[in-house]
Amino acid sequence: MSVSMPPSQKPADPPRFLPAGDGAVVVEFGSAVDEALSDRVMAMDARIAEAGIEGVVETVPTYRSLLVVYDPLAIRARQLIPRLAELAANAGEATTVGRRWVIPVCYGGDHGEDLEWVAKVHDMTPEEVIALHSEAIYRVYMIGFTPGFAYLGGLPEILHTPRRETPRTLVPAGSVAIGGQQAAVFSVAAPSGWHMLGRTPVRTFDLKRDDPFLIAPGDRIRFSPVAAAEFAALAARAEAGDIVAWHEEEA
Amino acid sequence: MAALLVVDPGPLATLQDLGRVGYQRFGVTVSGALDERALRLANRLAGNEAGEAAIEFTLAGGTYAVEAAACRIAVAGGDFPLSINGRRAGAYASHTLKRGDRLAIGRAQSGTRGYLAVAGGFDLPRVLGSRSTHVRSGLGGMDGQPLKAGSRLPLADAERFDGPDRWLKTSLWPKARDVVRVVLGPQDDLFTEEGKTTFLSSAYRILSQSDRMGYRFEGPPIRHAADYNIVSDGIAPGSVQVIGSGQPIIMLADRQTTGGYAKIATVISADLPVLAQCRPGNAVRFRAVGVEEAEDLRAAMLDGIERLAAAFYRAGSAADDTANLLGVNLIDGIVSPEEAPPR
């Protein structure tokens, strides 16, 4: 007789292994944007890195899946998939707890052209939008689109805002923006239909640093409002190579 | 400084190698040569490692002048007419040039991409491990930009090369094809059976809105089973995304790292060079193969290039037809490994 387990103890379904040509396998944990799925992706990503499987070239973690890029001259899919399945079965929880970043943001005005509009759409004051946006803790689900561009989950539902009908041709680097139910920090200038609430002096991608990428999937982010004068001071320090973001513990 | 002067870069020329590997998790595009096979051949003809950075050009090659005591070059890819100081010269061959020589590469008679390799390679920094240019993010190559008239590409070791020039006779050049093989998936289950049949039985014409990022196609619509949007996941090279209208887009070297359209199939790596040589207006058909066959075909393609490199005709010497003909079979990826000669 089968006994149904309470939801919290129900073992998760094993991932699906889907072919992506002769050099990649998709390890798919689910099809939704969901914290638990993201935890499993990050745990699996960590296990693959630890396992050091010969022939695995790189992995690309996303909201719900992991693209495992391999060299078919070093390992074949029929050998790789059973090894990945074994790792998935014992992946456990993500052990590497992501870092918690505090990112300073100058909201509104020239730094956030859409703040007033977003406030109006939601029948709020700009200050209320800033408070909601900067009190939330965001999870970095994945990095994509451009080098260092962080896709953030955790935007308060009340701030969910459809994208612009006509995308802007260029949104400046450092833009802190929202689109749909997501939030983001723009690493480099790029076209976008998202709404710019503010700008950070933090460079999430800077080739001048030894590690050019500041934020990794699995990290958490909180935004801290700063005035225009402080933004300018921080921007000057960022220009000189300072990270100007800080860790939550130090905040 | 020993350099190759860009007199005229043609319509689009960028520096490309085998791509920027290892940074996709940070959103960094792989880039790299669209026709990996031609890049490897150009380099092997020039006497380089197969993956050295070379100039990738599109439809026409442009004009270059040598600012070094000597410089060995080789061109491979589509059927591009070459001239050196106004005299005709062969593609799929190395040529040893001297100071002041002018190399002109004309419009392709067939094919689309060409590769100009120089012996010793270009003395430009690797950015995140690669010299490949990604214009959108401004990485690699010369300041992350396409080549411009007047640019000087510094040569790393121009005067160091060994032996006589080498060449590959025309019958051994990779052949154009209009059938491209794919592995179904990763999201083929999001399409109807009829949709999959349509995809594998119809001709799709390449549209002019095609570039290094991807090829757009037009043909009978491929039916999704439900929504065409998925929650974004990673994009492998050759991924066949099907947009809402049912038309396919094949993601190439400059693709973004993640995307939200369902992917019905992935073009096999041995056939990406075939696709790279097709141009807008050409029609292509897709044929499904299994993962293992695709893996075998990749191995056979790389093996074929090295067999050809080992058997390059030495200028003026007798030809070894057998080795070369076996080589071309392999390089074209037509025979299966079971039919290949013993190693």
Side-chain angles (χ1 to χ4, degrees), chain B residues 178-193:
Chain B
D178 57 6
V179 174
V180 169
R181 288 164 293 188
V182 300
V183 172
L184 287 173
Q187 282 103 29
D188 53 319
D189 59 346
L190 298 185
F191 295 85
T192 63
E193 284 307 315

Side-chain angles (χ1 to χ4, degrees), chain A residues 16 18-22 24 26 28 31-33 42 45 57-65 67 69-73 75-78 142-149 151 191 205 207 212-213 215-217, chain B residues 20-30 127-128 136-139 183-187 189 230-237 239 256-259 266-270 291-296 298-299 302:
Chain A
R16 298 202 298 164
L18 309 171
D22 52 89
V26 178
E28 189 194 73
S31 55
V33 176
M42 296 317 300
D45 190 46
V57 176
E58 62 180 310
T59 55
V60 189
T62 71
Y63 286 106
R64 62 193 185 87
S65 68
L67 185 74
V69 182
Y70 68 94
D71 174 5
L73 269 61
I75 191 167
R76 296 300 183 102
R78 67 168 187 275
M142 64 180 201
I143 309 281
F145 182 51
T146 54
F149 182 100
Y151 284 92
F205 173 60
L207 276 174
F213 308 99
I215 298 169
Chain B
R20 194 160 278 113
V21 175
Y23 298 95
Q24 289 189 80
R25 63 191 295 109
F26 294 112
V28 179
T29 296
V30 175
V127 178
L128 302 175
R136 247 179 101 101
S137 51
L139 296 181
V183 172
L184 287 173
Q187 282 103 29
D189 59 346
I230 58 170
V231 174
S232 293
D233 75 346
I235 304 181
S239 289
Q256 75 275 28
T257 53
T258 58
T266 310
V267 175
I268 70 169
S269 63
V291 173
E292 296 217 6
E293 186 177 349
E295 291 171 334
D296 287 341
R298 168 152 197 89
L302 295 179

Side-chain angles (χ1 to χ4, degrees), chain B residues 174-319:
Chain B
K175 307 277 188 302
R177 272 192 284 130
D178 57 6
V179 174
V180 169
R181 288 164 293 188
V182 300
V183 172
L184 287 173
Q187 282 103 29
D188 53 319
D189 59 346
L190 298 185
F191 295 85
T192 63
E193 284 307 315
E194 181 213 339
K196 280 185 262 191
T197 306
T198 303
F199 170 61
L200 293 173
S201 62
S202 311
Y204 288 88
R205 200 170 58 83
I206 301 172
L207 297 177
S208 56
Q209 306 97 301
S210 295
D211 55 20
R212 283 185 41 84
M213 189 171 172
Y215 271 16
R216 285 174 170 269
F217 291 82
E218 184 181 66
I222 301 158
R223 300 239 180 275
H224 295 83
D227 195 0
Y228 57 85
N229 282 295
I230 58 170
V231 174
S232 293
D233 75 346
I235 304 181
S239 289
V240 186
Q241 292 186 331
V242 181
I243 60 175
S245 62
Q247 301 298 334
I249 299 179
I250 299 188
M251 305 307 288
L252 300 175
D254 280 359
R255 70 193 178 278
Q256 75 275 28
T257 53
T258 58
Y261 288 115
K263 299 176 283 289
I264 193 170
T266 310
V267 175
I268 70 169
S269 63
D271 281 1
L272 283 174
V274 172
L275 200 57
Q277 293 299 347
C278 295
R279 58 174 75 171
N282 289 167
V284 173
R285 287 173 178 277
F286 302 103
R287 187 162 78 74
V289 296
V291 173
E292 296 217 6
E293 186 177 349
E295 291 171 334
D296 287 341
L297 288 165
R298 168 152 197 89
M301 176 182 80
L302 295 179
D303 192 42
I305 290 166
E306 289 312 307
R307 277 163 187 265
L308 275 187
F312 281 144
Y313 285 50
R314 299 277 169 163
S317 76

Side-chain angles (χ1 to χ4, degrees), chain A:
Chain A
M1 197 182 85
S2 71
V3 178
S4 71
M5 281 181 280
S8 59
Q9 286 170 32
K10 196 173 148 199
D13 291 332
R16 298 202 298 164
F17 299 93
L18 309 171
D22 52 89
V25 173
V26 178
V27 184
E28 189 194 73
F29 290 91
S31 55
V33 176
D34 175 281
E35 290 239 358
L37 279 181
S38 177
D39 278 339
R40 295 183 67 200
V41 170
M42 296 317 300
M44 181 67 177
D45 190 46
R47 294 299 90 76
I48 294 172
E50 287 159 15
I53 302 167
E54 197 188 335
V56 169
V57 176
E58 62 180 310
T59 55
V60 189
T62 71
Y63 286 106
R64 62 193 185 87
S65 68
L66 199 59
L67 185 74
V68 180
V69 182
Y70 68 94
D71 174 5
L73 269 61
I75 191 167
R76 296 300 183 102
R78 67 168 187 275
Q79 301 160 321
L80 175 62
I81 289 171
R83 293 207 55 188
L84 294 176
E86 201 184 311
L87 291 176
N90 301 305
E93 298 296 312
T95 46
T96 49
V97 178
R99 294 159 299 180
R100 298 183 64 137
W101 292 103
V102 181
I103 306 273
V105 181
C106 182
Y107 285 95
D110 289 345
H111 296 303
E113 286 181 42
D114 298 318
L115 176 66
E116 300 265 350
W117 185 88
V118 169
K120 208 188 296 177
V121 162
H122 295 293
D123 202 15
M124 288 181 217
T125 64
E127 289 69 31
E128 286 170 322
V129 173
I130 294 170
L132 282 164
H133 184 262
S134 62
E135 276 161 16
I137 305 279
Y138 298 88
R139 178 195 182 93
V140 180
Y141 276 101
M142 64 180 201
I143 309 281
F145 182 51
T146 54
F149 182 100
Y151 284 92
L152 308 177
L155 181 69
E157 205 172 330
I158 193 167
L159 287 182
H160 292 183
T161 313
R163 279 161 218 192
R164 287 167 58 92
E165 274 182 28
T166 314
R168 285 200 167 86
T169 50
L170 215 57
V171 166
S175 290
V176 172
I178 60 173
Q181 49 179 304
Q182 302 178 96
V185 181
F186 280 65
S187 52
V188 296
S192 176
W194 291 31
H195 306 282
M196 292 187 289
L197 299 186
R199 200 176 307 166
T200 179
V202 174
R203 296 175 180 202
T204 56
F205 173 60
D206 189 349
L207 276 174
K208 286 184 300 217
R209 290 196 298 257
D210 286 345
D211 182 355
F213 308 99
L214 189 68
I215 298 169
D219 286 359
R220 308 235 170 206
I221 285 180
R222 190 169 64 75
F223 295 110
S224 174
V226 295
E230 193 179 348
F231 175 90
L234 291 170
R237 280 174 51 196
E239 173 72 38
D242 270 14
I243 287 175
V244 305
W246 57 93
H247 291 290
E248 187 71 86
E249 297 79 32
E250 303 157 22

Side-chain angles (χ1 to χ4, degrees), chain B residues 2-4 65-73 95-101 118-120 155-161:
Chain B
L4 192 65
V66 174
E67 296 185 345
C71 174
R72 175 173 281 180
I73 61 98
H95 301 282
T96 303
L97 311 183
K98 56 189 190 306
R99 190 178 300 279
D101 281 353
V118 296
L155 300 170
D157 208 359
E159 286 149 47
R160 220 176 108 190
F161 46 83

